[in-house]
């Protein structure tokens, strides 16, 4: 019998405690936590009160290393394909065309000053497949592939999530490819001739001199 | 001999008749009803399907059906190289990504036999314990929902958000971090990290007390969970339970203590065990209490790690990472204490490839859930919900 | 019971108004409280619940639909009107359709006897309180019809649980209300309010003027929670167990009817408890000397204000409880009813009787 | 017209007669024990209408009190009868009264 | 030799003493010391002995993994065993069977945890477990074709009319 | 054709304003089905929780498909699950919307190449209206996706099919590359 | 309220009562019968109000709708396979039954309409009966009231015992 009453008593008292807590929160609702980011010194300043952020109006800043949307800067890419190999998901597709000797200047240098040796007709990232693991970014030697902190980019059509970062249009790519073939053919011919002349075959081609070739608007064409 | 095994089987299959257990008697000549709970049901924590045969409100038998989230993790292990597997381990127990990564990485490191910098170990432990707290918060919160209390769930998620923010700050992602790499970490922690974690601990402590007052000590909650789904210790071991589930049955077993890894031997914490004053050993409440105690212990561990963590100028967490991860031929079984129990990886390497020949993940939830059929016999449907909640499954890990 | 008329003068006058032979006035009398409460339940009940729960959970609640989300409920209802009305193939069409209707009607029928002020009552029945308690039975049938008609196991579970719960909890609830009836010596809702109004304000209320009244008050409050299927007694619609209970299969407007019926009966029990124990439309303010606060705050408009305020208060408490407590189990619910509330209700009954004789 | 607009004793008696006959019909023709029970309830209701009608038009309280007791007894009757029906169902696996023809299984 | 490996070796010696040639030599490598069951039909007896012998008390089966040894034409399981509350030793056991139609005795009555693990191994590799109380697929659907983790697995084109490959 | 005819055929003012009100009601009260499958479900819960609080938009989860307008496919859909997803979709009353949340349900995500048991995109079994990328998407991304659904609802109306609404929206949409560029500039 | 309104309302309720009662009797689906009974009870309660017996009317709702009807519904559900909506029950002897029904109605109506002796007395019951029921219960009908309570108690025990027959039976063995 005493258990019966003590049960009622503990029931009532614990329910009262719980209700006191929720009521405290109810009256604390006049206070609001600000939109301080985690790297802000007063992130933990506001302990009580509402913690809702009204997202489209206010947003907490995402940290600079936040890994959300992949972005590639074709200006800086040297076409090494390391990211393609490292990606566990295989969501990056790269096609490269070796730059012919006379186009090197047209191809340009990265912002780090490194000479680029490949055209990039195709550099596709299927963001729909990407699992934002960041492995591709970590292997990129020129830091041209980055995760941006932009998270909100939904689409009505899933095919819009295939991002093309290549910097050549199809026609240009064909032209470059043909050019490379020609150069290769010429080189092979030269090598064959050289072999016929009995010279050592496997000498690397001499550094090509910068020659004012046809100026492709390669940097901006990719879309 | 085989016969003996059978006999023995019966002797271990003792499930005690707690006083809550309803003795199944047929009052009316009603037919048994087959209820299919899930895979889309609010209380199955994802996509578990329970086929319950019920007699009125009493569950005669509940058979779990898995595989609704079978994502072929083990296939991927054979197709992707070692660093590439790490993000996939995140997606197994998606509530405790860092713990999973850590379990996988220490296994591979064991096979590679490499030394890890001390600072890396401390950062790993801090983040893993933070993640353990986050995971337990989800467990406690969703358990609240299962029993009808919605507010504690939101309080838990509110505090979990701080942990996620902390971890996003250091790793760049909110939930699936890919932060712990084989032989190191992806990034060093920011300069303010220590301070912020310290602030978090001070912020969090009163919130935990509030949560306990709101949920754990509530009489209705206690009445709903006490004596429900009792699992005796020997049966629990035989079922291969681990983690809070095993400790809830009163077995003093914690891999951080019994099979120590990382810097846990240097840390002072106690293995969470339920107090028989508040619960019956092995019941749902005991399992819940163990999780609650573990949050406190994790906070203690974090505080100690913050004190002990060495400061290194210009520290490069990727320094110890081998250029090409190609372990020697051999096999290894490595494991770590996850929020849900022992997460083990059995890895077989042929010494030639950068991909494992075979990698099996021994997931704690899978094993814990296998006792469901025995636990649910003769319970009421609401108790069934309470039991599933107390097992705290993550289907990503069950089905892998 | 000097005035034994079944309708008070105001509604009598109105009900005499006929359009040709059609008793338009009667319809108006019956409809006014209904429309009023329906509007209330629609906009403020649901909106209030969302905001209150949000504030208790450290969040904002509806914000974007209208200023501070004030139009949220309106949008919900408009949307539910547009939704496709599915009647599952397996369902029993007749019962499936009639279930929500019966429940809706049952939940709003009791409003006829709730006095919203000294001159504003649908029908001042002499058996008002008895009627208000009894009419809940209609809801039970509605629930059973919808649960059985849905031909869904969860719905059937929910319905059976709900019926068992409502029928059981009617006993302590009625006994607790009987204590109130004994104090007032009447079953007429209007007379309850009259008996509890006076110059001393809230000191006339039974809860404060009678030393035993708190016991039936608490018992009735708990039982009323169970009768309206509110947390912690919301096991018929327990989301984590039974998906959505007896209205699992309902879409669109039929679902809205359940929703409305729930909020309607919430207000109804709040109204009953405030009338029986807290003086209904009586003002809480006392006359202090020459400062006649009570007289100033009495009257038809003030009466409506006070009773709605009291109703709001109890609805707030109901929501407060709902967002604090876990849910009971079925057998614990029955334990609470039969082994705790009913004995205490009898004790309260005897004590009240003793008090009424010897006071 | 007067007969239809002025509601009098006979109106109620008519309704009660119809209800009573319908109840009798159910009791006599239906096989399902529960429907028979429903018929009994109809008969009781018809009787109640009669009690109240005569009470009203003779100004006494006896009929009112009697109908109250009838309702009380109906409740008791329904409870016991349903318990019996359920027992019959348990024993015979049917509630068809025409097939319940043995004293003991 | 590290202490843990020595303990495993000692445990192995007890088993070897009891079962002799039915078990193969112990591979006392530092990462995962294991031995193989040479006579597959003895596996259930060995398991029961390992669990119940007072010196061994391997009452906890940590893991049971199916493995495909394609070159040898065999399938196998690897069990990681240890003791909770008993001696601190650990050991792994390998059991192999033929790749086509091979079977392994079930130990699900010795360790309940083996029940689902064996079902999973069957689901992924297709070996049968004799005496398993509930021998069904567990993760894949019942009507799935093939055993996904076999090295030569080819994924089916459609499943219930849904295209499976990307 | 007279002026009046032209007015009626071009959806007159009355219809448009009724349309607007109806669309407003539907977009203001999108009740999603709490349909958690995998990792994304946790982010979905986090979005529902206090910090992001979907209820601000009137979005509040129902557990029964009959009462929901929107299905958030949050997580990996497996072969075993696919049929259940279809069933649940069919149980929802019209008008219904589907939001595919996360890489896995968009196209199989990280499991697209070797995941034998993973459905490569939920749009293979049910029509999807909005795809939210991310693995898992941040709560902000989910809110953004829901706002997109609201835009879609706003474009619909009596006599305007969803395809037409989508076409209209596509005309209004901004080139993603530009947005990235801007974001990049902002972070740089 | 004028006379016409009252009579219209009376006829509406009379029709509801009679039609739903007929539905109860003639419906082949037991569960439909049970739900139709709801309307019968309600109609009868409304008729009670016309007979100035408001207390009895509410009692009718409380006891019949809240108690007996729910019991009946539970009975129907228990004695039929759950989730089976086909709850058909055959009607036996329809033709003789109907003839008897019609005869009975005719006979009774004949009796009612030809016997003029019980036409209205002087003192009709007016207003509410609540208070008078209270007085009568505590004075003239004290003994029947107490007996009714005993009957209820016994019925409660008996019903409980009967429904728990299995258990009692089991204990014997």
């Amino acid at each position: 019998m005493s258990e019966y009453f003590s049960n009622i008593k503990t029931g009532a008292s614990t329910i009262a405690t719980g209700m006191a807590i929720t009521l405290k929160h109810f009256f604390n609702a006049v206070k609001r936590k600000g939109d301080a980011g985690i790297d802000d010194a007063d992130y933990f300043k506001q302990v009580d009160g509402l913690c809702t952020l009204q997202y489209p109006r206010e947003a907490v800043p995402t940290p600079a290393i936040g890994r959300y949307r992949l972005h590639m800067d074709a200006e800086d890419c040297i076409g090494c394909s390391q990211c393609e190999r490292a990606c566990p998901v295989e969501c990056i597709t790269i096609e490269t065309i070796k730059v012919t000797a006379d186009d090197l200047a047209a191809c340009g240098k990265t912002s780090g000053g490194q000479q680029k040796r490949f055209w990039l007709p195709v550099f596709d990232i299927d963001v729909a497949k990407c699992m934002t693991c960041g492995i591709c970014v970590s292997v990129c030697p020129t830091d041209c592939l980055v995760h941006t902190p932009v998270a909100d980019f939904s689409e009505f059509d899933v095919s819009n999530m295939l991002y093309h970062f290549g910097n050549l249009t199809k026609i240009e790519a064909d032209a470059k490819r043909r050019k490379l073939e020609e150069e290769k053919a010429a080189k092979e011919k030269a090598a064959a001739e050289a072999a016929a002349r009995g010279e050592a075959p496997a000498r690397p081609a001499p550094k090509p001199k910068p020659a004012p070739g046809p100026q492709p608007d390669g940097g901006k064409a990719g879309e | 001999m085989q016969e003996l095994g059978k006999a023995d089987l019966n002797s271990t299959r003792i499930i005690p008749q707690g006083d809550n257990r309803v003795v199944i008697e047929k009052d009316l000549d009603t037919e048994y009803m087959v209820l299919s709970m899930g895979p889309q049901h609010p209380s199955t924590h994802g996509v578990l399907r329970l086929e319950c045969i019920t007699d009125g409100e009493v569950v005669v038998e509940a058979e779990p059906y898995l595989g609704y989230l079978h994502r072929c993790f083990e296939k991927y292990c054979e197709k992707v190289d070692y660093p590439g597997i790490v993000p996939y381990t995140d997606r197994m127990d998606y509530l405790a990504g860092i713990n999973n990564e850590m379990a996988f990485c220490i296994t591979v490191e064991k096979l590679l036999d490499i030394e890890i910098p001390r600072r890396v170990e401390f950062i790993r432990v801090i983040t893993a314990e933070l993640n353990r707290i986050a995971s337990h918060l989800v467990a406690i919160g969703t358990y609240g929902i299962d029993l009808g209390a919605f507010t504690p769930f939101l309080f838990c998620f509110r505090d979990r958000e701080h942990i996620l923010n902390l971890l996003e700050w250091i790793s760049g992602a909110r939930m699936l971090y890919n932060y712990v790499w084989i032989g190191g970490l992806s990034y060093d922690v920011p300069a303010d990290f220590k301070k912020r974690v310290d602030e978090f601990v001070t912020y969090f402590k009163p919130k935990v007390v509030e949560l306990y007052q709101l949920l754990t000590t509530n009489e209705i909650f206690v009445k709903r969970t006490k004596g429900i789904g009792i699992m005796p210790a020997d049966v629990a071991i035989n079922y291969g339970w681990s983690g809070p589930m095993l400790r809830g049955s009163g077995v003093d077993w914690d891999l951080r203590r019994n099979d120590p890894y990382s810097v846990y031997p240097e840390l002072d914490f106690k293995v969470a065990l339920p107090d028989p004053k508040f619960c019956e050993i092995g019941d749902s409440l005991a399992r819940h209490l163990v999780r609650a105690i573990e949050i406190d212990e994790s906070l203690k561990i974090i505080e100690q790690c913050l004190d002990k963590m060495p400061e290194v100028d210009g520290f490069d967490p990727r320094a110890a990472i081998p250029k090409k991860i190609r372990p020697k031929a051999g096999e290894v079984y490595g494991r770590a204490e996850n929020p849900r129990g022992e997460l083990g990886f059995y890895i077989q390497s042929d010494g030639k490839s950068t991909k494992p020949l075979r990698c099996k993940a021994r997931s704690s939830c899978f094993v814990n859930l296998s006792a469901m059929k025995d636990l649910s016999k003769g319970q009421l449907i609401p108790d069934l919900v309470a039991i599933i909640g107390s097992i705290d499954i993550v289907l990503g890990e069950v089905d892998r | 019971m000097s005035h034994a008329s079944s309708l008070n003068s105001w509604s009598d006058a109105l009900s005499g108004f006929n359009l040709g032979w059609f008793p338009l006035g009667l319809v108006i009398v019956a409809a006014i409280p209904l429309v009023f409460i329906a509007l209330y339940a629609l906009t403020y009940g649901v909106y209030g619940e969302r905001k209150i729960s949000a504030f208790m959970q450290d969040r904002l609640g509806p914000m974007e639909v209208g200023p501070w989300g004030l139009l949220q409920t309106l949008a919900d209802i408009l949307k539910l009107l547009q939704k496709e009305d599915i009647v599952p193939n397996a369902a029993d069409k007749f019962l499936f359709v009639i279930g929500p209707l019966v429940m809706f009607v049952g939940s709003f029928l009791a409003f006829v006897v709730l006095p919203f002020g000294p001159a504003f009552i649908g029908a001042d029945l002499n058996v008002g309180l008895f009627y208000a308690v009894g009419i809940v039975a209609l809801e039970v049938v509605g629930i059973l019809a919808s649960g059985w008609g849905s031909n869904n196991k969860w719905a059937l579970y929910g319905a059976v649980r709900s019926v068992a719960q409502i029928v059981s909890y009617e006993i302590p609830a009625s006994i607790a209300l009987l204590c109130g009836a004994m104090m007032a010596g009447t079953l007429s809702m209007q007379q309850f309010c009259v008996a509890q109004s006076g110059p001393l304000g809230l000191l006339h209320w039974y809860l404060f003027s009678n030393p035993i009244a708190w016991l039936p008050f608490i018992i009735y409050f708990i039982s009323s929670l169970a009768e309206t299927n509110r947390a912690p007694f919301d096991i018929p619609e327990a989301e984590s167990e039974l998906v959505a209970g007896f209205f699992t299969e309902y879409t669109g407007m039929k679902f809205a009817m359940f929703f409305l019926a729930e909020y309607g009966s919430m207000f109804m029990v709040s109204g009953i408890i405030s009338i029986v124990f807290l003086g209904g439309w009586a003002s809480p303010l006392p006359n202090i000397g020459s400062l006649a606060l009570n007289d100033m705050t009495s009257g038809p408009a003030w009466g409506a204000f006070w009773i709605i305020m009291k109703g709001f208060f109890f609805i707030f408490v109901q929501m407060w409880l709902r967002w604090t407590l876990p849910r009971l189990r079925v057998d614990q619910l029955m334990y609470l009813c039969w082994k705790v509330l009913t004995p205490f209700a009898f004790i309260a009954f005897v004590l009240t009787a003793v008090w009424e004789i010897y006071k | 017209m007067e007969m239809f607009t002025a509601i009098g004793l006979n109106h109620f008696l008519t309704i009660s007669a119809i209800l009573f006959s319908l109840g009798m019909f159910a009791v006599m023709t239906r096989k399902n024990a529960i429907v028979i029970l429903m018929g009994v309830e109809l008969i009781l209701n018809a009787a109640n209408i009669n009690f109240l009608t005569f009470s009203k038009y003779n100004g006494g309280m006896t009929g009112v009190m009697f109908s109250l007791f009838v309702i009380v007894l109906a409740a008791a009757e329904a409870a016991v009868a349903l318990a019996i029906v359920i027992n019959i169902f348990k024993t015979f696996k049917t509630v068809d009264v025409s097939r319940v023809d043995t004293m003991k299984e | 030799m590290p202490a843990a490996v020595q303990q495993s070796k000692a445990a192995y010696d007890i088993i070897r003493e009891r079962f002799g040639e039915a078990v193969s030599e112990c591979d006392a490598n530092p990462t995962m010391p294991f031995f193989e069951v040479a006579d597959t039909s003895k596996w259930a007896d060995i398991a029961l002995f390992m669990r119940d012998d007072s010196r061994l008390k391997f009452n906890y089966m940590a893991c049971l993994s199916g493995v495909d040894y394609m070159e040898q034409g065999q399938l196998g399981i690897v069990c990681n065993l240890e003791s909770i509350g008993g001696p601190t030793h650990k050991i792994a056991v390998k059991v192999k069977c033929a790749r086509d139609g091979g079977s392994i005795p079930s130990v699900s009555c010795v360790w309940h945890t083996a029940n689902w693990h064996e079902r999973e191994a069957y689901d992924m590799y297709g070996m049968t477990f004799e005496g398993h109380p509930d021998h069904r697929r567990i993760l894949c659907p019942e009507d799935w074709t093939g055993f996904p983790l076999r090295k030569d697995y080819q994924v089916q084109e459609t499943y219930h009319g849904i295209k499976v490959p990307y | 054709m007279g002026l009046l005819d032209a007015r009626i055929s071009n959806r007159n003012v009355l219809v448009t304003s009724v349309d607007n009100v109806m669309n407003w009601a539907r977009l203001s009260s999108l009740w999603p089905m709490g349909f958690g499958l995998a990792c994304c479900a946790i982010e979905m819960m986090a979005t529902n929780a206090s910090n992001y609080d979907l209820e601000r938009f009137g979005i509040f989860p129902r557990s029964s498909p009959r009462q929901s307008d929107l299905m958030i496919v949050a997580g990996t859909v497996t072969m075993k699950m696919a049929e259940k997803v279809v069933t649940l979709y069919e149980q929802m009353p019209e008008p219904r919307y589907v939001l595919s949340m996360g890489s896995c349900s968009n196209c199989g995500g990280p499991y697209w190449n070797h995941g034998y048991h993973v459905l490569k995109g939920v749009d293979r079994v049910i029509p999807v209206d909005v795809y939210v990328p991310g693995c898992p998407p941040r709560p902000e991304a989910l809110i953004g996706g829901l706002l997109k659904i609201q835009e879609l609802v706003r474009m619909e109306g009596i006599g305007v099919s969803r395809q037409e609404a989508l076409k209209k929206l596509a005309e209004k949409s901004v080139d993603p590359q530009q947005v990235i560029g801007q974001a990049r500039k902002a972070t740089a | 309220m004028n006379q016409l309104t009252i009579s219209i309302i009376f006829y509406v309720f009379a029709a509801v009562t009679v039609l739903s009662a007929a539905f109860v009797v003639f419906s082949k689906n037991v569960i439909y019968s049970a739900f139709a009974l709801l309307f019968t009870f309600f109609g009868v309660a409304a008729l009670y109000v016309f007979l100035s017996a408001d207390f009895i009317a509410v009692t009718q709702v409380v006891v019949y709708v809240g108690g007996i009807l729910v019991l009946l519904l539970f009975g129907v559900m228990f004695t039929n396979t759950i989730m089976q909506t086909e709850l058909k029950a055959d009607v036996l002897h329809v033709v003789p039954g109907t003839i008897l029904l019609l005869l009975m109605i005719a006979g009774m109506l004949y009796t009612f309409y030809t016997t003029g002796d019980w036409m209205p007395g002087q003192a009709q019951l007016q207003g509410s009966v609540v208070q008078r029921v209270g007085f009568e219960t505590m004075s003239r009908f004290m003994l029947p009231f107490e007996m009714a309570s005993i009957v209820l108690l016994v019925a409660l025990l008996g019903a409980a015992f009967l429904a728990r027959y299995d258990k009692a039976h089991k204990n014997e063995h």
Side-chain angles (χ1 to χ4, degrees), chain B residues 248-261:
Chain B
S249 290
V251 181
D252 189 352
W253 179 265
D254 189 328
L255 292 179
R256 291 174 291 178
R257 167 71 41 81
N258 294 73
D259 186 10
Y261 52 94

Side-chain angles (χ1 to χ4, degrees), chain D residues 42-58:
Chain D
L42 285 185
I43 294 173
L44 286 172
N45 264 311
N48 256 358
I49 292 178
N50 265 9
F51 274 128
L52 286 172
T53 312
F54 287 115
S55 196
K56 158 104 181 173
Y57 289 100
N58 287 319

Side-chain angles (χ1 to χ4, degrees), chain C residues 234-245:
Chain C
D234 57 345
I235 56 160
E237 53 208 72
E239 192 169 281
S240 55
E241 296 158 25
L242 302 184
V243 187

Side-chain angles (χ1 to χ4, degrees), chain A residues 169-184:
Chain A
T169 59
K170 202 166 166 7
I171 304 161
E172 283 168 353
D174 284 344
K176 298 291 173 200
R177 213 168 271 139
R178 228 173 301 121
K179 208 167 170 190
L180 180 67
E181 299 276 298
E182 277 163 21
E183 200 199 61
K184 215 189 249 167

Side-chain angles (χ1 to χ4, degrees), chain A residues 56-139:
Chain A
R57 295 154 207 274
E58 5 173 90
V60 112
T62 34
I65 59 167
R67 300 195 310 253
Y68 295 102
R69 184 187 208 163
L70 267 179
H71 179 71
M72 209 278 293
D73 206 343
E75 304 275 327
D76 273 3
C77 180
I78 55 167
C80 64
S81 294
Q82 286 210 47
C83 46
E84 190 188 15
R85 283 194 295 275
C87 180
V89 182
E90 302 168 26
C91 70
I92 305 176
T93 321
I94 304 180
E95 241 176 65
T96 51
I97 302 172
K98 201 159 186 306
V99 177
T100 46
D102 52 340
D103 266 357
L104 273 177
C107 192
K109 293 181 175 180
T110 65
S111 53
Q114 199 177 347
Q115 177 61 53
K116 296 202 278 185
R117 295 188 184 285
F118 291 100
W119 294 112
L120 272 179
V122 177
F123 193 115
D124 286 358
I125 301 180
D126 194 345
V127 186
K129 285 174 195 160
C130 173
M131 65 167 169
T132 63
C133 62
I135 292 178
C136 50
V137 174
S138 72
V139 296

Side-chain angles (χ1 to χ4, degrees), chain D residues 4 14 25 28 30 56-57 59, chain G residues 11 25 52 100 113 121 123 125:
Chain D
F4 291 105
T14 314
F25 178 81
M28 287 189 297
R30 298 299 293 262
K56 158 104 181 173
Y57 289 100
Chain G
Y11 281 116
V25 175
S52 304
L100 197 70
Y113 282 94
L125 218 52

Side-chain angles (χ1 to χ4, degrees), chain B residues 163-187:
Chain B
I163 300 179
L164 293 192
N165 281 342
L166 279 170
L167 291 177
E168 187 188 24
W169 189 29
I170 60 169
S171 74
R174 260 170 68 88
M175 250 179 76
L176 308 174
Y177 310 99
N178 190 20
Y179 181 61
V180 179
W181 285 4
I182 297 163
L185 301 167
S186 60
Y187 300 100

Side-chain angles (χ1 to χ4, degrees), chain F residues 47-124:
Chain F
T47 321
N48 276 317
S50 301
N51 284 52
Y52 293 95
D53 190 18
L54 277 183
E55 205 169 357
R56 283 186 295 122
F57 305 96
I59 296 169
F60 101 112
R62 302 279 327 164
S63 47
S64 167
R66 297 273 187 214
Q67 290 135 28
S68 36
D69 319 296
L70 166 69
M71 184 187 217
I72 301 180
V73 185
T76 318
V77 185
T78 57
M79 290 295 161
K80 215 171 173 176
M81 196 63 200
E83 286 163 37
K84 314 273 173 191
V85 173
V86 176
T87 315
L88 286 169
Y89 177 74
E90 280 165 358
Q91 279 176 350
M92 282 164 58
E94 292 278 0
R96 53 198 169 187
Y97 302 89
V98 177
L99 184 144
S100 154
M101 179 187 182
S103 297
C104 296
S105 60
N106 288 349
C107 67
Y111 302 97
W112 71 275
N113 44 1
H114 308 302
Y116 51 89
H117 192 237
V118 175
L119 182 68
K120 315 301 185 300
V122 72
D123 46 6
R124 289 190 180 190

